[in-house]
PDB file of all heavy atoms in Angstrom:
ATOM      1  N   LEU A  37     -35.334  43.805 -50.012  1.00 91.00           N
ATOM      2  CA  LEU A  37     -35.658  44.114 -48.617  1.00 91.00           C
ATOM      3  C   LEU A  37     -37.102  44.556 -48.548  1.00 91.00           C
ATOM      4  O   LEU A  37     -37.400  45.747 -48.417  1.00 91.00           O
ATOM      5  CB  LEU A  37     -34.723  45.219 -48.092  1.00 91.00           C
ATOM      6  CG  LEU A  37     -33.231  44.874 -48.081  1.00 91.00           C
ATOM      7  CD1 LEU A  37     -32.385  46.108 -47.868  1.00 91.00           C
ATOM      8  CD2 LEU A  37     -32.927  43.843 -46.998  1.00 91.00           C
ATOM      9  N   CYS A  68     -13.276  33.168 -35.175  1.00 98.00           N
ATOM     10  CA  CYS A  68     -12.235  34.188 -35.355  1.00 98.00           C
ATOM     11  C   CYS A  68     -11.502  34.423 -34.032  1.00 98.00           C
ATOM     12  O   CYS A  68     -10.267  34.577 -34.022  1.00 98.00           O
ATOM     13  CB  CYS A  68     -12.852  35.493 -35.855  1.00 98.00           C
ATOM     14  SG  CYS A  68     -13.411  35.417 -37.564  1.00 98.00           S
ATOM     15  N   HIS A  91     -18.324  28.224 -29.586  1.00 98.00           N
ATOM     16  CA  HIS A  91     -18.164  27.786 -30.978  1.00 98.00           C
ATOM     17  C   HIS A  91     -18.909  26.469 -31.182  1.00 98.00           C
ATOM     18  O   HIS A  91     -19.699  26.339 -32.111  1.00 98.00           O
ATOM     19  CB  HIS A  91     -16.672  27.641 -31.295  1.00 98.00           C
ATOM     20  CG  HIS A  91     -16.354  27.497 -32.753  1.00 98.00           C
ATOM     21  ND1 HIS A  91     -16.608  28.478 -33.677  1.00 98.00           N
ATOM     22  CD2 HIS A  91     -15.793  26.483 -33.457  1.00 98.00           C
ATOM     23  CE1 HIS A  91     -16.222  28.069 -34.878  1.00 98.00           C
ATOM     24  NE2 HIS A  91     -15.726  26.851 -34.776  1.00 98.00           N
ATOM     25  N   PHE A 100     -29.110  22.180 -35.776  1.00 98.00           N
ATOM     26  CA  PHE A 100     -30.459  21.981 -35.254  1.00 98.00           C
ATOM     27  C   PHE A 100     -31.477  22.792 -36.066  1.00 98.00           C
ATOM     28  O   PHE A 100     -32.451  22.255 -36.601  1.00 98.00           O
ATOM     29  CB  PHE A 100     -30.469  22.423 -33.785  1.00 98.00           C
ATOM     30  CG  PHE A 100     -31.661  21.985 -32.990  1.00 98.00           C
ATOM     31  CD1 PHE A 100     -31.587  20.864 -32.175  1.00 98.00           C
ATOM     32  CD2 PHE A 100     -32.828  22.710 -33.001  1.00 98.00           C
ATOM     33  CE1 PHE A 100     -32.663  20.464 -31.408  1.00 98.00           C
ATOM     34  CE2 PHE A 100     -33.917  22.329 -32.235  1.00 98.00           C
ATOM     35  CZ  PHE A 100     -33.832  21.192 -31.443  1.00 98.00           C
ATOM     36  N   SER A 101     -31.210  24.081 -36.231  1.00 98.00           N
ATOM     37  CA  SER A 101     -32.183  24.913 -36.964  1.00 98.00           C
ATOM     38  C   SER A 101     -32.163  24.614 -38.448  1.00 98.00           C
ATOM     39  O   SER A 101     -33.202  24.695 -39.110  1.00 98.00           O
ATOM     40  CB  SER A 101     -31.970  26.415 -36.685  1.00 98.00           C
ATOM     41  OG  SER A 101     -30.658  26.689 -36.349  1.00 98.00           O
ATOM     42  N   TRP A 123     -33.633  25.006 -53.498  1.00 98.00           N
ATOM     43  CA  TRP A 123     -33.546  23.705 -52.816  1.00 98.00           C
ATOM     44  C   TRP A 123     -32.143  23.104 -52.995  1.00 98.00           C
ATOM     45  O   TRP A 123     -31.547  22.619 -52.041  1.00 98.00           O
ATOM     46  CB  TRP A 123     -34.620  22.774 -53.378  1.00 98.00           C
ATOM     47  CG  TRP A 123     -34.536  21.379 -52.843  1.00 98.00           C
ATOM     48  CD1 TRP A 123     -33.944  20.306 -53.432  1.00 98.00           C
ATOM     49  CD2 TRP A 123     -35.038  20.918 -51.576  1.00 98.00           C
ATOM     50  NE1 TRP A 123     -34.052  19.198 -52.621  1.00 98.00           N
ATOM     51  CE2 TRP A 123     -34.726  19.540 -51.485  1.00 98.00           C
ATOM     52  CE3 TRP A 123     -35.745  21.520 -50.522  1.00 98.00           C
ATOM     53  CZ2 TRP A 123     -35.086  18.769 -50.387  1.00 98.00           C
ATOM     54  CZ3 TRP A 123     -36.090  20.744 -49.420  1.00 98.00           C
ATOM     55  CH2 TRP A 123     -35.761  19.388 -49.365  1.00 98.00           C
ATOM     56  N   LYS A 157     -10.537   8.387 -41.931  1.00 94.00           N
ATOM     57  CA  LYS A 157      -9.654   8.389 -43.110  1.00 94.00           C
ATOM     58  C   LYS A 157      -9.958   7.242 -44.049  1.00 94.00           C
ATOM     59  O   LYS A 157      -9.847   7.371 -45.267  1.00 94.00           O
ATOM     60  CB  LYS A 157      -8.178   8.347 -42.677  1.00 94.00           C
ATOM     61  CG  LYS A 157      -7.725   6.986 -42.179  1.00 94.00           C
ATOM     62  CD  LYS A 157      -6.285   6.995 -41.765  1.00 94.00           C
ATOM     63  CE  LYS A 157      -5.731   5.592 -41.523  1.00 94.00           C
ATOM     64  NZ  LYS A 157      -6.598   4.643 -40.826  1.00 94.00           N
ATOM     65  N   ASP A 158     -10.369   6.082 -43.493  1.00 94.00           N
ATOM     66  CA  ASP A 158     -10.608   4.911 -44.336  1.00 94.00           C
ATOM     67  C   ASP A 158     -11.773   5.158 -45.289  1.00 94.00           C
ATOM     68  O   ASP A 158     -11.741   4.700 -46.438  1.00 94.00           O
ATOM     69  CB  ASP A 158     -10.882   3.692 -43.456  1.00 94.00           C
ATOM     70  CG  ASP A 158      -9.682   3.353 -42.592  1.00 94.00           C
ATOM     71  OD1 ASP A 158      -8.553   3.713 -43.001  1.00 94.00           O
ATOM     72  OD2 ASP A 158      -9.853   2.767 -41.505  1.00 94.00           O
ATOM     73  N   ILE A 160     -12.724   8.097 -46.481  1.00 93.00           N
ATOM     74  CA  ILE A 160     -12.270   9.023 -47.532  1.00 93.00           C
ATOM     75  C   ILE A 160     -11.353   8.290 -48.511  1.00 93.00           C
ATOM     76  O   ILE A 160     -11.499   8.409 -49.721  1.00 93.00           O
ATOM     77  CB  ILE A 160     -11.529  10.228 -46.910  1.00 93.00           C
ATOM     78  CG1 ILE A 160     -12.403  10.926 -45.868  1.00 93.00           C
ATOM     79  CG2 ILE A 160     -11.077  11.205 -47.999  1.00 93.00           C
ATOM     80  CD1 ILE A 160     -13.568  11.699 -46.413  1.00 93.00           C
ATOM     81  N   ASN A 173      -3.677  14.861 -42.212  1.00 94.00           N
ATOM     82  CA  ASN A 173      -2.852  16.050 -42.443  1.00 94.00           C
ATOM     83  C   ASN A 173      -3.485  17.231 -41.704  1.00 94.00           C
ATOM     84  O   ASN A 173      -4.376  17.912 -42.223  1.00 94.00           O
ATOM     85  CB  ASN A 173      -2.771  16.310 -43.952  1.00 94.00           C
ATOM     86  CG  ASN A 173      -1.861  17.489 -44.293  1.00 94.00           C
ATOM     87  OD1 ASN A 173      -1.547  18.304 -43.429  1.00 94.00           O
ATOM     88  ND2 ASN A 173      -1.445  17.555 -45.539  1.00 94.00           N
ATOM     89  N   GLY A 174      -3.028  17.454 -40.473  1.00 93.00           N
ATOM     90  CA  GLY A 174      -3.649  18.453 -39.616  1.00 93.00           C
ATOM     91  C   GLY A 174      -3.671  19.845 -40.217  1.00 93.00           C
ATOM     92  O   GLY A 174      -4.671  20.562 -40.117  1.00 93.00           O
ATOM     93  N   LEU A 191     -20.617  32.216 -49.233  1.00 98.00           N
ATOM     94  CA  LEU A 191     -21.049  32.511 -50.599  1.00 98.00           C
ATOM     95  C   LEU A 191     -22.381  31.823 -50.917  1.00 98.00           C
ATOM     96  O   LEU A 191     -23.298  32.431 -51.456  1.00 98.00           O
ATOM     97  CB  LEU A 191     -19.975  32.070 -51.609  1.00 98.00           C
ATOM     98  CG  LEU A 191     -18.725  32.956 -51.704  1.00 98.00           C
ATOM     99  CD1 LEU A 191     -17.726  32.353 -52.685  1.00 98.00           C
ATOM    100  CD2 LEU A 191     -19.114  34.359 -52.149  1.00 98.00           C
TER     101      LEU A 191
END
Side-chain angles (χ1 to χ4, degrees):
Chain A
L37 298 166
C68 288
H91 193 64
F100 194 98
S101 26
W123 174 263
K157 74 180 192 319
D158 298 334
I160 305 289
N173 183 342
L191 285 177

